[in-house]
Amino acid sequence: MNTTTLLTLTPEKVDAVFPRYVAFDFETTGFSCCSDRIIEIGAVYFDNGVPTKTFATLVNPGMMISPGASAVNGITDAMVQDAPSDEQAAEQFASFLGEAMNGAIPLVAHNAKFDLGFLAAMFKRHGYDCDLRSYDTLAISRSYLSLSSNKQNDVAAHFGLINENAHRALDDALTCGKIFACLLPIVKTAKPKRKSPYPWWRSR
């Protein structure tokens, strides 16, 4: 079984979520989780809002990186030539995720639907069973903050956070996890300005 679920964060869930979560981010060859591949993985375990363990690797996707993707993240074919393969990266990342693989620890990503799609596709290709459950800092920001832009760096700036290496997976994952920690007390005490764009999204 390979499932992904986007979770809705409610005030009642905040205390349960806060002790431990995994923020993650991918850089990819393109936008399609079916035809494109991951080229960089970054993930950070947070305990009580503090980063405690990190995972980062480039990934050889076994295909060319599009010029458009390289223009955004700066990752080239030469940089991933000797990196772990898609299969090797899946094994390493599954080991790092641990209980998050079965939904016991929630994941966090900015525009999580995108990253979950790539993660589920990678695990499915290599025969991993998983029940991935994630909160989306993009959706939460849109619901609770009044910003002209909810791009990750703009939300980070709103909280006084600086990401000096945007569009690299580990730095983006670390920033995402910090944003989530800032959003949690807001969710606990404030009413959303509008409903989440996807209160319960699920795919198999």
Side-chain angles (χ1 to χ4, degrees), residues 22-84:
V22 184
F24 75 108
D25 183 78
F26 298 140
E27 298 302 325
T28 64
T29 61
F31 296 109
S32 171
C33 63
C34 297
S35 57
D36 287 301
R37 294 291 184 269
I38 296 167
I39 56 175
E40 188 175 42
I41 301 172
V44 184
Y45 262 95
F46 280 78
D47 290 280
N48 296 307
V50 178
T52 56
K53 185 169 64 170
T54 64
F55 176 90
T57 185
L58 290 168
V59 182
N60 187 332
M63 63 187 297
M64 301 291 289
I65 301 172
S66 70
S70 290
V72 171
N73 53 47
I75 300 173
T76 65
D77 293 318
M79 290 170 62
V80 301
Q81 183 176 356
D82 297 321

Side-chain angles (χ1 to χ4, degrees), residues 101-122:
M101 285 287 287
N102 62 20
I105 298 172
L107 302 171
V108 178
H110 201 76
N111 191 19
K113 184 175 181 179
F114 174 87
D115 295 281
L116 278 178
F118 273 90
L119 183 55
M122 179 177 69

Side-chain angles (χ1 to χ4, degrees), residues 2-171:
N2 189 300
T3 64
T4 59
T5 304
L6 276 175
L7 303 169
T8 299
L9 185 62
T10 63
E12 297 75 20
K13 293 180 182 178
V14 168
D15 289 338
V17 170
F18 186 67
R20 199 168 210 211
Y21 56 88
V22 184
F24 75 108
D25 183 78
F26 298 140
E27 298 302 325
T28 64
T29 61
F31 296 109
S32 171
C33 63
C34 297
S35 57
D36 287 301
R37 294 291 184 269
I38 296 167
I39 56 175
E40 188 175 42
I41 301 172
V44 184
Y45 262 95
F46 280 78
D47 290 280
N48 296 307
V50 178
T52 56
K53 185 169 64 170
T54 64
F55 176 90
T57 185
L58 290 168
V59 182
N60 187 332
M63 63 187 297
M64 301 291 289
I65 301 172
S66 70
S70 290
V72 171
N73 53 47
I75 300 173
T76 65
D77 293 318
M79 290 170 62
V80 301
Q81 183 176 356
D82 297 321
S85 66
D86 190 70
E87 182 176 8
Q88 290 169 331
E91 180 180 5
Q92 293 169 10
F93 194 38
S95 177
F96 174 81
L97 288 177
E99 290 183 278
M101 285 287 287
N102 62 20
I105 298 172
L107 302 171
V108 178
H110 201 76
N111 191 19
K113 184 175 181 179
F114 174 87
D115 295 281
L116 278 178
F118 273 90
L119 183 55
M122 179 177 69
F123 283 150
K124 185 176 180 179
R125 279 194 299 275
H126 304 299
Y128 288 88
D129 289 330
C130 58
D131 179 13
L132 306 169
R133 304 185 179 200
S134 182
Y135 292 100
D136 183 2
T137 52
L138 174 60
I140 300 169
S141 298
R142 286 173 172 169
S143 294
Y144 285 88
L145 305 179
S146 297
L147 303 178
S148 58
S149 167
N150 289 281
K151 292 181 179 179
Q152 180 166 282
N153 278 354
D154 294 323
V155 178
H158 172 75
F159 290 117
L161 304 171
I162 299 174
N163 182 359
E164 296 182 347
N165 205 16
H167 300 296
R168 292 304 300 266
L170 182 58
D171 295 85

